[in-house]
Amino acid sequence: MLRITCLGLIVITTSSASLPASDQIPGAPQTKPIALINGVIHTLTGPPIEQGTIVFDAGKITEIGPRMAPPEGADVIDLMGQHVYPSLIEAHSHLGLQEISSIRATLDNAETGLLNPNVSAHVAVNPDSELIPVTRANGVLIALSAPTGGLVSGKASVMQMDGWTYEDMTLKANSALVVNWPRASPFMTRGPRPGPTPAPGQPPGQRPDGDEQSEARNQSLKSLRDLFAQARTYHKAREANPAEQPFDSRLDSMIPVVDGQIPLLITADRAEQIQAAVAFGVEQNVKVIIFGGYDAEMCAELLRRYSVPVIVDAVHKAPRRDHDDYDAAYTLPERLRQAGVKFCISGSGRSETWNTRNLPYQAATASAYGLPHEDALRSVTTWPAEILGIADRVGTLENGKDATLFISDGDPLETETQITAAWIQGRKVDLTSRHTQLYE
């Protein structure tokens, strides 16, 4: 019996060791100052610094300026005219939560049920994901990993693309509560027109009529309002007498939301969805971030009035309606800029996983269709940091901020540009990936 048990342990150990995992080793903590000299420093707080120097120590930027003498004992790297940028930031993805969409065992981005506010994405992120090295190799060193499914999907987390464990990778554990705003009818799109979600109890594939759609939507909104009301009642009861009020993980996780500490990241594209989502935020006295925002320009005055930012879910996508201009998605960022709406650009609508690395080219297309180049850069660096509440640490190159940056041989919005080195909180990261391995 002992021999059989031991053999079982050997088989389990061997099988576990053969599971797919990335070959890249996380970067070691910084042990001495590093000085990058003779480069073009793009701080994104002002004009680029030609022949500049940037110094970081213990994971933080300590000095930035033109032609400074490096500190004694520092590792000095001559950039020979290369460029330094802050990390690109993907404002929405499923990185670390979804690996291969056709293999169920690699999917951990959704929970069953309608209301899951107690779900936190960061604890489910897989640090060994093959997607992480592929993503950071193109300068995307930070990404929001978001759950999906249901009405309230759970809390999204800002993750760094390097680390042995999810704790190492987590930059901000609970950045936003993801809500999928219900809608009554589908977009009128080119090609096959998918029907709306069947009403409860209705067979799949059968299109609900208008009354059923409205009833399903109203029921979803009632469930959402009930959740907020129950959370406030629970919070008061716990504060008054925690011994008598049993702990409820679902309602307890809502406390920082109803207190206004965590914003709602609401998926909404149509104008009526956006308007209703903003109204709900005002009603509940919580901050709202719109994700998607296809019709956001139509709601510009409302978004400005209540300081609601928009995460454009992708630039590389087709028009949503038959009568829309062919370049409606390409020009949306510039139209939002002209309308005075705060926004940033994501590539999530095009790919939440493998092609997250193409984030800079989403911004590049927006630039080609009117968005000023510097604003295109800020739309994937500074502005997502501000919207996600991490601008005190990343998004620009400034003294005291994290040394999360990369070196490139040109403009990162150009496809020909190569990323030659990168650091996350001062840790130099490996830029090889499954792609480079297959190439070699």
Side-chain angles (χ1 to χ4, degrees):
M1 193 59 151
L2 180 61
R3 287 197 300 274
I4 293 173
T5 303
C6 290
L7 179 60
L9 288 172
I10 291 171
V11 171
I12 292 170
T13 304
T14 304
S15 299
S16 299
S18 65
L19 291 174
S22 61
D23 297 327
Q24 288 69 30
I25 302 299
Q30 188 176 1
T31 58
K32 61 168 67 174
I34 295 175
L36 309 179
I37 66 170
N38 194 25
V40 183
I41 314 298
H42 298 263
T43 65
L44 299 187
T45 61
I49 302 173
E50 301 287 342
Q51 295 184 325
T53 298
I54 180 168
V55 181
F56 48 96
D57 191 14
K60 298 288 185 181
I61 298 172
T62 57
E63 294 181 87
I64 303 177
R67 298 193 180 190
M68 295 187 304
E72 187 176 350
D75 279 341
V76 179
I77 301 174
D78 189 345
L79 301 183
M80 295 184 289
Q82 292 190 92
H83 301 257
V84 183
Y85 290 91
S87 166
L88 306 181
I89 301 173
E90 172 53 76
H92 185 281
S93 76
H94 298 324
L95 283 169
L97 304 176
Q98 179 177 321
E99 194 78 5
I100 303 172
S101 59
S102 60
I103 300 179
R104 179 65 185 88
T106 70
L107 307 181
D108 199 13
N109 58 306
E111 294 291 338
T112 58
L114 188 69
L115 305 172
N116 294 297
N118 50 315
V119 167
S120 289
H122 69 293
V123 299
V125 167
N126 173 23
D128 279 332
S129 170
E130 290 282 7
L131 311 182
I132 292 171
V134 170
T135 300
R136 71 186 180 213
N138 208 29
V140 184
L141 309 179
I142 297 171
L144 184 83
S145 288
T148 187
L151 178 63
V152 177
S153 304
K155 295 186 180 72
S157 306
V158 180
M159 310 299 291
Q160 302 173 124
M161 299 294 100
D162 178 76
W164 288 101
T165 65
Y166 78 82
E167 292 95 339
D168 294 340
M169 297 176 64
T170 302
L171 186 63
K172 187 174 183 180
N174 296 317
S175 184
L177 181 67
V178 179
V179 175
N180 298 302
W181 199 262
R183 57 186 174 90
S185 60
F187 267 106
M188 296 300 292
T189 57
R190 293 181 174 87
R193 289 164 168 77
T197 304
Q202 187 175 36
Q206 181 177 337
R207 294 173 63 92
D209 60 28
D211 291 341
E212 290 173 331
Q213 292 177 36
S214 296
E215 177 60 27
R217 179 179 180 275
N218 292 338
Q219 186 58 47
S220 294
L221 294 178
K222 182 180 183 303
S223 298
L224 188 60
R225 285 189 169 90
D226 287 348
L227 176 64
F228 274 75
Q230 292 166 12
R232 289 191 169 94
T233 302
Y234 170 85
H235 187 21
K236 291 177 181 177
R238 289 285 292 179
E239 284 184 327
N241 195 339
E244 290 188 6
Q245 175 61 49
F247 177 80
D248 185 312
S249 63
R250 189 168 63 92
L251 295 179
D252 201 75
S253 68
M254 284 292 296
I255 292 175
V257 178
V258 298
D259 282 350
Q261 300 172 30
I262 297 177
L264 300 182
L265 179 60
I266 300 181
T267 302
D269 268 316
R270 300 187 66 158
E272 59 265 32
Q273 285 181 296
I274 296 170
Q275 291 163 355
V278 174
F280 180 81
V282 174
E283 169 194 308
Q284 299 294 332
N285 194 29
V286 295
K287 181 182 176 183
V288 168
I289 301 169
I290 297 297
F291 172 65
Y294 188 82
D295 286 345
E297 184 190 11
M298 301 180 190
C299 312
E301 183 180 352
L302 182 69
L303 296 171
R304 289 196 308 268
R305 182 188 308 166
Y306 293 104
S307 302
V308 175
V310 175
I311 299 175
V312 177
D313 64 349
V315 174
H316 295 164
K317 61 183 181 182
R320 301 298 297 270
R321 300 183 182 89
D322 288 337
H323 62 268
D324 287 346
D325 293 337
Y326 79 93
D327 58 358
Y330 308 160
T331 62
L332 178 59
E334 170 60 8
R335 288 186 280 119
L336 291 180
R337 186 190 72 85
Q338 291 186 6
V341 175
K342 186 167 188 173
F343 73 93
C344 69
I345 292 175
S346 167
S348 185
R350 186 67 174 174
S351 171
E352 296 92 356
T353 51
W354 278 102
N355 284 322
T356 301
R357 63 196 173 94
N358 287 335
L359 173 65
Y361 313 135
Q362 304 276 344
T365 299
S367 179
Y369 282 80
L371 186 65
H373 182 267
E374 284 300 308
D375 285 343
L377 277 172
R378 293 187 182 97
S379 72
V380 289
T381 53
T382 309
W383 296 344
E386 293 172 353
I387 291 171
L388 298 177
I390 52 174
D392 59 327
R393 301 186 62 178
V394 293
T396 57
L397 299 180
E398 298 179 74
N399 288 345
K401 289 195 174 183
D402 289 355
T404 301
L405 47 87
F406 64 86
I407 300 171
S408 65
D409 60 9
D411 184 345
L413 303 192
E414 297 285 348
T415 56
E416 297 89 349
T417 296
Q418 299 295 310
I419 309 302
T420 58
W423 288 262
I424 294 178
Q425 291 185 336
R427 306 187 303 270
K428 188 169 185 179
V429 297
D430 188 347
L431 293 182
T432 64
S433 67
R434 176 61 63 90
H435 288 192
T436 60
Q437 291 168 344
L438 288 172
Y439 170 77
E440 290 169 0

